[in-house]
Amino acid sequence: MNERKEVRPRRWLAVLLLSIVFAGVVLANEDILAGFTRCNSNAGICMTIEQCPNGQANVDGEDILVPRLSGDDFDECNQYGRVCCPIPTDSVTETPVCGDEDWSQQCGEKADVEESMGLVETNRWEFPWSVAVFSIIEIGNRRMNQFLCGGSVIEDGIVVTTAKCVRNEKNSTLRVQFGKWDLTDRTEQCVQELSVEEIVFHPKYVPSSRQHNIALLFLDDNARLGRWVNRVCLPEPQQNVGSTETCYIVGWNAIPKPSNPLFKLRVEFQSRQVCESSIRRYASLSHFNLLEENTCTAYLDEMEKHPCARAEGSGLICESPDRSGQFFLVGIASYALRVCQNVTEINVFVSVKHYKRWIDKHMKEHSRHPSFYHPDPVVRH
């Protein structure tokens, strides 16, 4: 009894100390915000765009996603380059389970989530091989993450993207985020971030024409795979995937918005003649010829729902003709002539099957086995 009575004051003391610390944090945050003009009925403060990159006031200056400025940025703060930024609030949320013991370990398998029928936005983790590639930059004493492009997981430590995306970057400043859904949300759960150890460019990559516009990112560690982070299947050179199957472009909007979730757009393949004719007409290039290793698509969804520009490196995926819900990476978004005012132009992709042997070669050189992105044999009854 005496022993328990001696412990209780210590517990109350601990609670008191924690309360003081918490109050100190609140007061510290209030001191930080005191120098800003309040807006939106005191729910926000007037800040520069760089201080409010993800739709929430950045009071610590860490891990800022730098927006690419476009258009006019006027609001009630009444100054160019300033916005009314919501003040972050502390909230307790249930921690999701970021593992899955029942995962089938099949490549190209979508997460088992409810479909967003007819909508452009994907469900969270619906296409778990889609990753975001960032570059770390420093402005003053602040470390910031700048979104560069999309990519696709082909192995737990390997991502495929475009050469153009990373050609001017150092591997030491590159980061890849797995399990990311909304680029503007700094509070997402189950996101894994890994550094890039090595960049492998195609040896015949030509920046001016984007010929052989493909690169591999070898990471410094392996991502934890499961239903929420999975690798996509790669087609064999002779495999005719995409002729009649369901195909999507899956990627992020390249133009900054208050919310930037992963989207999907249904597409169909266009003939080489249609592609060349469209590009010649739009770009006034009378002698343009589509590269042999490229392919192009047109949209099937309603045009007004399409983002103005999707990030390069986005995956063009097609469902397997043999197994429902399993997808192959057929193309990597290389470039598009489409802008908001002209929504009918086609998208050009690097055709992955042309580079399957090149990818296999580098996998083996890094002591990885190509079977990792091959589907297991389908059992037919």
Side-chain angles (χ1 to χ4, degrees):
M1 291 292 293
N2 293 335
E3 192 174 6
R4 292 182 63 185
K5 287 181 179 179
E6 291 175 0
V7 173
R8 286 180 181 174
R10 296 177 184 176
R11 290 179 179 174
W12 281 109
L13 180 60
V15 172
L16 179 61
L17 289 174
L18 287 174
S19 300
I20 294 173
V21 170
F22 176 76
V25 171
V26 172
L27 290 174
N29 283 338
E30 287 298 322
D31 289 341
I32 292 173
L33 302 177
F36 295 95
T37 302
R38 297 279 180 151
C39 56
N40 191 22
S41 302
N42 287 327
I45 53 177
C46 294
M47 308 182 81
T48 64
I49 297 175
E50 291 79 8
Q51 292 171 309
C52 183
N54 301 315
Q56 197 173 73
N58 177 50
V59 295
D60 55 14
E62 293 291 331
D63 298 320
I64 301 177
L65 175 67
V66 179
R68 299 172 182 178
L69 304 181
S70 62
D72 295 327
D73 295 295
F74 289 94
D75 64 4
E76 64 177 297
C77 295
N78 198 31
Q79 282 184 284
Y80 181 81
R82 289 186 175 270
V83 294
C84 185
C85 192
I87 300 173
T89 57
D90 294 327
S91 60
V92 179
T93 57
E94 184 179 348
T95 302
V97 178
C98 300
D100 189 357
E101 296 179 355
D102 298 326
W103 173 52
S104 72
Q105 301 188 15
Q106 276 280 349
C107 69
E109 187 179 82
K110 293 171 51 179
D112 186 16
V113 295
E114 182 181 351
E115 289 286 346
S116 299
M117 299 302 294
L119 298 178
V120 170
E121 287 187 8
T122 66
N123 287 286
R124 193 179 299 272
W125 304 311
E126 183 177 352
F127 298 99
W129 47 82
S130 296
V131 296
V133 181
F134 292 84
S135 177
I136 295 178
I137 61 175
E138 290 187 3
I139 298 180
N141 295 322
R142 294 186 298 179
R143 173 181 177 271
M144 305 181 182
N145 285 356
Q146 183 178 36
F147 175 61
L148 297 177
C149 62
S152 299
V153 181
I154 61 173
E155 220 260 31
D156 53 10
I158 304 173
V159 168
V160 62
T161 186
T162 62
K164 181 181 181 298
C165 169
V166 293
R167 64 181 291 257
N168 294 320
E169 303 294 330
K170 297 179 180 178
N171 60 327
S172 59
T173 62
L174 287 176
R175 300 290 184 272
V176 177
Q177 290 189 355
F178 298 76
K180 192 68 179 173
W181 184 64
D182 188 344
L183 293 185
T184 64
D185 187 352
R186 297 173 59 197
T187 64
E188 282 188 351
Q189 303 295 317
C190 302
V191 176
Q192 304 174 49
E193 181 174 295
L194 296 176
S195 301
V196 175
E197 188 173 82
E198 182 183 359
I199 307 172
V200 176
F201 297 95
H202 194 278
K204 295 183 179 179
Y205 168 58
V206 180
S208 58
S209 64
R210 302 200 188 185
Q211 187 175 13
H212 306 297
N213 186 20
I214 186 172
L216 296 173
L217 305 181
F218 289 87
L219 310 181
D220 67 344
D221 200 354
N222 296 333
R224 299 185 304 276
L225 296 183
R227 193 180 300 272
W228 292 275
V229 177
N230 193 13
R231 77 278 189 208
V232 68
C233 300
L234 297 187
E236 296 293 346
Q238 70 278 7
Q239 193 172 354
N240 189 22
V241 178
S243 56
T244 59
E245 294 79 24
T246 301
C247 298
Y248 298 101
I249 300 174
V250 179
W252 285 279
N253 199 326
I255 298 177
K257 289 187 174 183
S259 178
N260 191 1
L262 193 70
F263 65 80
K264 61 181 179 183
L265 301 170
R266 292 187 306 129
V267 295
E268 63 179 356
F269 288 88
Q270 300 295 294
S271 68
R272 185 167 297 273
Q273 181 179 1
V274 170
C275 289
E276 291 177 345
S277 176
S278 179
I279 294 176
R280 288 172 183 174
R281 181 177 62 255
Y282 180 81
S284 300
L285 299 172
S286 58
H287 299 291
F288 173 83
N289 292 312
L290 189 70
L291 297 171
E292 181 183 356
E293 65 274 10
N294 285 354
T295 187
C296 71
T297 65
Y299 295 113
L300 291 175
D301 289 314
E302 297 178 20
M303 300 306 295
E304 62 268 17
K305 292 182 180 180
H306 294 179
C308 290
R310 53 101 185 96
E312 65 179 86
S314 303
L316 169 60
I317 58 171
C318 294
E319 191 170 17
S320 169
D322 299 313
R323 180 176 292 172
S324 176
Q326 186 174 56
F327 284 82
F328 285 83
L329 182 67
V330 177
I332 304 169
S334 183
Y335 62 91
L337 300 179
R338 178 178 179 273
V339 293
C340 296
Q341 294 77 18
N342 190 332
V343 297
T344 60
E345 296 308 318
I346 51 87
N347 293 260
V348 177
F349 296 84
V350 175
S351 181
V352 173
K353 67 180 182 180
H354 284 82
Y355 298 94
K356 177 63 165 51
R357 293 189 178 94
W358 176 75
I359 293 173
D360 289 350
K361 171 179 174 290
H362 285 285
M363 289 284 287
K364 294 174 182 176
E365 288 179 355
H366 286 76
S367 301
R368 307 296 183 102
H369 201 280
S371 63
F372 205 71
Y373 41 70
H374 291 171
D376 291 340
V378 177
V379 178
R380 291 183 172 85
H381 300 283

